[in-house]
Amino acid sequence: MTRVLVVDDEPQIVRALVINLKARKYDVDAATDGTTALQLAAARQPDVVVLDLGLPDLDGVEVIKGLRGWTRVPIIVLSARHSSDEKVQALDAGADDYVTKPFGMDELLARLRAAVRRAEPNGGGEDDVIVETEGFTVDLAAKKVNRAGKDVRLTPTEWHLLEVLVRNTGRLVSQKQLLQEVWGPSYGTETNYLRVYMAQLRRKLETDPSHPQHFITEPGMGYRFEK
């Protein structure tokens, strides 16, 4: 069973999420503050985290950073903060998705399912592909990236974006296609997501992120991966 860690200091929201998730056969743990959330995550190893940013002890972004120090578990932010800067800050810290309050339960559950799917390892077959560049190697089968002899830690969303681009090497992938393949069919205009995640991939993999050689932007159209 998929284990979900719900982190929110509003009892009504926690109760609603626990009831709805358990009704759909998820295992659920709940925390009302950041410290407890980090402890539960380490002890229970959730498959996905649903995290409010406005916690009483730690800011949610600090919880994201704490989790990203050791795990790639998908993190869905659930917050009343609506500003683009705050969304980008959470995504840049390592969150995989951002849902604003008030939210529809069906939409949240759909995003949760999508996040879990993105994090699942695929089998063999067509995934048995290794792509090499001068600076790094992408192993699609093992879902690993190696740079200078060391594994590069990517979040599930960073990996999924990289995978789509690598599978289309040399071809322009439109912004809409990337958003829908990585985040789901209900996405198509959230181009700020792409800017954040492309910047993260460039920082982690390009020799000179400000002059990328592999992750190329086609202004107003999309992105292209070049070996």
Side-chain angles (χ1 to χ4, degrees):
M1 293 174 68
T2 301
R3 181 175 297 279
V4 183
L5 173 58
V6 174
V7 188
D8 199 302
D9 64 342
E10 296 183 50
Q12 290 179 322
I13 289 180
V14 172
R15 187 162 54 250
L17 284 171
V18 169
I19 290 171
N20 278 275
L21 289 167
K22 286 188 174 180
R24 290 162 176 82
K25 308 303 182 185
Y26 290 96
D27 281 334
V28 188
D29 296 311
T32 56
D33 60 72
T35 302
T36 304
L38 291 171
Q39 292 171 346
L40 272 175
R44 304 282 283 173
Q45 300 287 313
D47 298 297
V48 60
V49 176
V50 178
L51 172 70
D52 179 28
L53 292 183
L55 300 173
D57 58 341
L58 300 173
D59 187 82
V61 171
E62 294 305 312
V63 177
I64 294 170
K65 292 177 179 177
L67 290 169
R68 283 290 170 257
W70 62 275
T71 179
R72 293 171 56 185
V73 63
I75 301 171
I76 301 175
V77 167
L78 189 62
S79 180
R81 302 176 186 178
H82 293 262
S83 78
S84 178
D85 287 347
E86 287 171 317
K87 291 181 181 181
V88 169
Q89 184 182 19
L91 293 168
D92 210 12
D96 296 278
D97 203 350
Y98 196 109
V99 179
T100 53
K101 298 178 181 178
F103 61 92
M105 187 62 69
D106 287 344
E107 179 187 0
L108 176 62
L109 292 171
R111 294 196 189 195
L112 187 146
R113 290 192 297 271
V116 172
R117 282 198 305 272
R118 289 196 297 268
E120 287 176 348
N122 292 326
E126 67 174 359
D127 287 337
D128 295 329
V129 178
I130 295 178
V131 177
E132 295 185 7
T133 73
E134 290 184 2
F136 59 91
T137 301
V138 181
D139 187 334
L140 292 171
K143 289 187 176 290
K144 288 185 177 181
V145 182
N146 188 282
R147 182 182 182 188
K150 296 181 180 179
D151 286 341
V152 179
R153 178 179 289 164
L154 299 180
T155 69
T157 300
E158 287 169 354
W159 169 261
H160 199 53
L161 181 60
L162 173 65
E163 185 178 37
V164 173
L165 290 169
V166 166
R167 290 191 183 283
N168 291 278
T169 296
R171 296 197 293 267
L172 172 68
V173 184
S174 71
Q175 294 176 340
K176 184 175 181 179
Q177 180 184 345
L178 278 171
L179 284 165
Q180 292 183 340
E181 287 203 34
V182 177
W183 280 273
S186 63
Y187 292 77
T189 60
E190 293 82 354
T191 54
N192 59 312
Y193 282 28
L194 292 175
R195 287 194 294 272
V196 169
Y197 279 96
M198 289 302 297
Q200 290 174 184
L201 284 177
R202 287 168 176 152
R203 281 200 300 271
K204 292 181 178 182
L205 299 177
E206 292 277 7
T207 302
D208 182 358
S210 60
H211 297 89
Q213 300 298 309
H214 305 291
F215 300 98
I216 310 301
T217 300
E218 297 289 353
M221 294 186 293
Y223 298 89
R224 190 177 71 252
F225 176 77
E226 296 285 1
K227 291 185 183 180

